[in-house]
Amino acid sequence: QLQLQESGPGLVKPSETLSLTCTVSGGSLNSNYYYWAWVRQSPQKGLEWIASISFSGTTYYAPSLNSRVTISVETSKNQFSLNLNSVAAADTAVYYCARLAPSGSGNHFDNWGQGTLVTVSS
Amino acid sequence: QLVLTQSPSASASLGASVRLTCTLNSGHSMYSTYAIAWHQQRPQKGPRYLMKVNSDGSHTKGDGIPDRFSGSSSGTERYLTISSLQSEDEADYYCQASGFFGGGTKLTVL
């Protein structure tokens, strides 16, 4: 059974970089079929897609975050990572990693991590 | 861009059925072919994938999702029906397509 687990600091100072890693177990990142993604959730904005990446490194970013976000993959470790720079209080959220499956005219998330709360505060 | 609209809340009695609705872009027909996914989020938990619902009303459920959960479609509306409601079904339900999410429906089981 596929499992995704987020890890990283729970507290980040304003203007610094938020870095998270997602470890995938029970399956491989090496798939032409799936993408791997980060999604965050806050009371203010609800669920918000951040970025997606294929095992070969093709990336997609949410336009609103594009200038501050980098997603990367390390297939040898079965992990993918998120970096969000110049964080502010508005970036405080629960961050989820997820698997993204194709759906014809759209894609859907079919597996989720349990989430990790990241607070931006000095 | 894609906009997914959900009612903020719904309620139904224990053992009854309820149908939740997700409307694609306020009913504009160009979105009538889009598939969506339904996700359940119980209190203090992460989202859980329930199913994908296609424009023709067919649906594919995630692993371990009970038969009480089903999906259907009509035009630009996508539905999630939960029958024989149980207390554990009290949760937020989100629809999603590509990088877009609905605002969620909070389901209360009376």
Side-chain angles (χ1 to χ4, degrees), chain B residues 26-104:
Chain B
S26 302
H28 197 295
S29 60
M30 69 179 286
Y31 297 104
S32 62
T33 62
Y34 273 64
I36 64 104
W38 286 102
H39 305 277
Q40 177 193 62
Q41 188 174 31
R42 291 176 172 145
Q44 307 308 315
K45 297 289 187 182
R48 173 194 184 195
Y49 168 66
L50 294 177
M51 69 182 70
K52 181 186 80 166
V53 181
N54 297 311
S55 59
D56 65 358
S58 61
H59 61 275
T60 307
K61 290 194 284 190
D63 294 339
I65 304 304
D67 292 342
R68 305 185 293 105
F69 290 80
S70 62
S72 57
S73 292
S74 177
T76 56
E77 294 191 334
R78 307 286 178 264
Y79 307 110
L80 171 69
T81 299
I82 311 171
S83 58
S84 303
L85 272 168
Q86 301 181 4
S87 57
E88 67 204 46
D89 299 330
E90 188 159 287
D92 294 326
Y93 291 85
Y94 294 92
C95 59
Q96 170 259 324
S98 295
F100 302 95
F101 289 90

Side-chain angles (χ1 to χ4, degrees), chain A residues 17-59:
Chain A
T17 297
L18 178 162
S19 296
L20 296 173
T21 296
C22 181
T23 302
V24 178
S25 59
S28 174
L29 277 176
N30 289 325
S31 168
N32 283 324
Y33 189 73
Y34 296 106
Y35 272 64
W36 306 90
W38 288 97
V39 175
R40 68 182 183 181
Q41 185 176 30
S42 64
Q44 297 76 20
K45 291 192 172 182
L47 286 163
E48 180 183 21
W49 167 71
I50 302 170
S52 304
I53 190 167
S54 71
F55 83 98
S56 60
T58 302
T59 57

Side-chain angles (χ1 to χ4, degrees), chain A residues 37-116:
Chain A
W38 288 97
V39 175
R40 68 182 183 181
Q41 185 176 30
S42 64
Q44 297 76 20
K45 291 192 172 182
L47 286 163
E48 180 183 21
W49 167 71
I50 302 170
S52 304
I53 190 167
S54 71
F55 83 98
S56 60
T58 302
T59 57
Y60 296 92
Y61 295 109
S64 62
L65 297 168
N66 183 46
S67 62
R68 298 195 292 131
V69 173
T70 304
I71 189 172
S72 59
V73 65
E74 190 158 3
T75 54
S76 62
K77 294 184 178 180
N78 231 29
Q79 293 176 335
F80 61 103
S81 299
L82 174 74
N83 279 345
L84 178 66
N85 58 40
S86 304
V87 298
D91 295 310
T92 294
V94 177
Y95 285 75
Y96 297 98
C97 58
R99 189 176 75 173
L100 189 60
S103 293
S105 54
N107 301 322
H108 68 278
F109 300 102
D110 71 351
N111 272 278
W112 294 83
Q114 65 183 27
T116 186

